[in-house]
């Protein structure tokens, strides 16, 4: 990708590209508290995430043990470079690997929630999918959230009005106008034949998410595991919480839950990261057809900053990366 193309990819987004529209629905929160414990993917520490009801307008936020600062689940708090997970930071407070939990909350409509994290600064990985979070949320139930005055607030949703596009090398994300929320995700692993080229596309709602996306587990390539561990990553990864695929030997811990489980998991991550567009208890994922190819956490959050006109990646740097 040449410098000129990189510059075009980063051109200013029109203020008319998206707007917040009323949904006609009240903001929601959990009807009861619920918690889950498990190993953190990168730290290897056993942590607990306790989900509690929050007031309308408070949105989703994290409180890490030993820290007083709330870390809102908003893109302004997302670290620009966070390898293999999404990390949120505000001041000295940091919380890692938030994407699976946020994905489930966004898809199921948990608009306001206080998440207390103890035992470390990482959300437990559980089985590597969002399925246990879906079960936890449905077990707790949802109710209309009320503000400090006892009033309900209407939920707003971002709606895309014109195409928005961001590309880095052969990886890209596009958001296209659509009357319904749609997700199309593509991945390509030419050196790993068992994964290869995959595509997953769906209309997104709570039921579709729960049955077709949430069960999809995170995955890695066996030949890259040692390199990642030397880098201080995936200390908590195992055959019980991640699918592992060898370049020559295929899947080491079958069976898969879906034939295209890796691509579905990429869609799960995308939904979790796009939830960071939310603020004040409103919807995060835009009413749009979002198309992503070979995208990861950094490109996801860069796209949201681009959409908001806050891109932190300069044109020259993007051209160098490409």
């Amino acid at each position: 990708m040449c410098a000129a193309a990189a510059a075009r990819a980063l051109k200013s987004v029109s203020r008319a590209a998206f707007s917040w529209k009323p949904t006609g629905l009240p903001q929601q929160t959990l009807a009861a508290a619920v918690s889950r414990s498990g190993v953190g993917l990168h730290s290897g520490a056993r942590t607990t995430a306790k989900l509690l009801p929050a007031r309308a307008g408070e949105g989703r936020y994290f409180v890490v043990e030993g820290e007083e600062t709330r870390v809102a689940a908003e893109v302004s708090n997302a670290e620009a470079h966070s390898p293999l997970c999404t990390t949120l930071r505000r001041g000295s407070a940091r919380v890692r690997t938030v994407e699976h939990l946020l994905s489930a909350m966004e898809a199921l409509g948990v608009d306001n929630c206080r998440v207390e994290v103890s035992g470390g600064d990482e959300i437990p990985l559980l089985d590597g999918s969002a399925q246990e979070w879906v079960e936890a949320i449905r077990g707790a139930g949802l109710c209309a959230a009320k503000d400090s005055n006892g009033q309900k607030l209407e939920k707003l949703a971002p709606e895309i009005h014109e195409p928005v596009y961001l590309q880095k090398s052969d990886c890209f994300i596009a958001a296209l106008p659509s009357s319904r929320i749609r997700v199309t995700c593509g991945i390509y692993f030419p050196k790993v034949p068992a994964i290869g080229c995959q595509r997953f596309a769906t209309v997104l709602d709570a039921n579709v998410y729960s049955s077709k996306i949430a069960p999809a587990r995170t995955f890695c390539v066996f030949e890259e595991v040692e390199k990642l561990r030397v880098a201080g990553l995936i200390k908590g990864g195992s055959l019980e919480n991640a699918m592992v695929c060898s370049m020559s030997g295929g899947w080491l811990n079958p069976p898969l839950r879906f034939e295209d489980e890796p691509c579905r998991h990429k869609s799960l991550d995308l939904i979790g990261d796009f939830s960071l567009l939310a603020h004040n208890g409103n919807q995060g994922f835009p009413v749009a057809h979002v198309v992503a190819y070979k995208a990861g956490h950094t490109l996801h959050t860069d796209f949201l900053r681009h959409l908001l006109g806050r891109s932190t990646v300069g044109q020259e740097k993007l051209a160098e990366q490409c």
Side-chain angles (χ1 to χ4, degrees), residues 101-238:
L101 172 56
L102 289 177
S103 182
M105 289 200 289
E106 176 68 23
L108 271 60
V110 184
D111 308 309
N112 301 279
C113 185
R114 176 186 174 97
V115 182
E116 296 180 352
V117 185
S118 58
D121 66 355
E122 192 170 17
I123 301 300
L125 184 61
L126 305 179
D127 74 345
S129 76
Q131 188 164 252
E132 289 190 54
W133 293 120
V134 168
E135 293 169 356
I137 291 167
R138 289 194 159 163
L142 299 178
C143 64
K146 295 181 180 179
D147 64 16
S148 57
N149 296 316
Q151 301 297 311
K152 297 177 183 178
L153 297 179
E154 185 175 21
K155 180 176 177 176
L156 305 179
E159 183 178 39
I160 297 292
H161 302 299
E162 60 184 47
V164 182
Y165 178 81
L166 185 63
Q167 177 177 355
K168 292 184 181 179
S169 187
D170 60 344
C171 315
F172 71 84
I173 299 176
L176 311 171
S178 173
S179 59
R180 302 182 69 181
I181 298 177
R182 297 178 180 272
V183 176
T184 298
C185 186
I187 61 174
Y188 183 39
F189 286 75
K191 296 182 179 179
V192 192
I195 301 177
C197 185
Q198 297 183 7
R199 175 182 175 273
F200 175 71
T202 185
V203 170
L204 184 61
D205 61 31
N207 290 329
V208 168
Y209 179 86
S210 300
S211 62
K212 296 184 177 181
I213 298 175
R217 296 161 292 174
T218 192
F219 65 97
C220 68
V221 178
F222 175 73
E223 287 79 3
E224 297 177 354
V225 168
E226 187 58 30
K227 179 178 68 176
L228 295 173
R229 286 185 171 162
V230 168
L233 302 172
I234 66 167
K235 294 177 182 177
S238 71

Side-chain angles (χ1 to χ4, degrees), residues 22-309:
T23 64
L25 302 170
Q27 292 184 13
Q28 297 185 113
T29 189
L30 294 171
V34 64
S35 68
R36 289 291 184 272
S37 300
V39 173
L41 171 60
H42 296 302
S43 66
R46 184 168 180 81
T47 63
T48 297
K50 185 175 183 180
L51 283 56
L52 299 106
R55 290 175 176 171
E58 287 190 321
R60 297 180 284 250
Y61 63 92
F62 297 87
V63 179
V64 180
E65 186 176 31
E67 297 284 351
E68 296 183 1
T69 304
R70 291 183 177 186
V71 184
E74 298 177 4
V75 70
S76 59
N77 290 328
E79 290 193 344
H81 301 289
S82 176
L84 300 184
C85 72
T86 298
T87 299
L88 303 176
R89 182 189 294 273
R90 186 161 180 253
S92 62
R94 180 184 76 165
V95 59
R96 295 188 287 171
T97 322
V98 299
E99 58 270 18
H100 299 173
L101 172 56
L102 289 177
S103 182
M105 289 200 289
E106 176 68 23
L108 271 60
V110 184
D111 308 309
N112 301 279
C113 185
R114 176 186 174 97
V115 182
E116 296 180 352
V117 185
S118 58
D121 66 355
E122 192 170 17
I123 301 300
L125 184 61
L126 305 179
D127 74 345
S129 76
Q131 188 164 252
E132 289 190 54
W133 293 120
V134 168
E135 293 169 356
I137 291 167
R138 289 194 159 163
L142 299 178
C143 64
K146 295 181 180 179
D147 64 16
S148 57
N149 296 316
Q151 301 297 311
K152 297 177 183 178
L153 297 179
E154 185 175 21
K155 180 176 177 176
L156 305 179
E159 183 178 39
I160 297 292
H161 302 299
E162 60 184 47
V164 182
Y165 178 81
L166 185 63
Q167 177 177 355
K168 292 184 181 179
S169 187
D170 60 344
C171 315
F172 71 84
I173 299 176
L176 311 171
S178 173
S179 59
R180 302 182 69 181
I181 298 177
R182 297 178 180 272
V183 176
T184 298
C185 186
I187 61 174
Y188 183 39
F189 286 75
K191 296 182 179 179
V192 192
I195 301 177
C197 185
Q198 297 183 7
R199 175 182 175 273
F200 175 71
T202 185
V203 170
L204 184 61
D205 61 31
N207 290 329
V208 168
Y209 179 86
S210 300
S211 62
K212 296 184 177 181
I213 298 175
R217 296 161 292 174
T218 192
F219 65 97
C220 68
V221 178
F222 175 73
E223 287 79 3
E224 297 177 354
V225 168
E226 187 58 30
K227 179 178 68 176
L228 295 173
R229 286 185 171 162
V230 168
L233 302 172
I234 66 167
K235 294 177 182 177
S238 71
L239 294 176
E240 284 69 51
N241 57 30
M243 299 183 298
V244 183
C245 191
S246 169
M247 292 180 182
S248 58
W251 294 103
L252 304 187
N253 53 341
L256 299 183
R257 293 176 178 173
F258 307 97
E259 185 177 290
D260 56 354
E261 189 168 355
C263 195
R264 291 180 189 232
H265 186 79
K266 287 291 189 178
S267 301
L268 185 160
D269 283 345
L270 174 74
I271 294 163
D273 291 341
F274 268 47
S275 76
L276 297 174
L277 189 60
H279 67 284
N280 300 333
N282 294 306
Q283 182 172 308
F285 203 93
V287 180
H289 182 182
V290 176
V291 182
Y293 178 66
K294 295 177 66 174
H297 298 298
T298 298
L299 189 58
H300 295 165
T301 53
D302 277 351
F303 180 87
L304 296 184
R305 294 185 185 96
H306 178 51
L307 180 63
L308 293 167

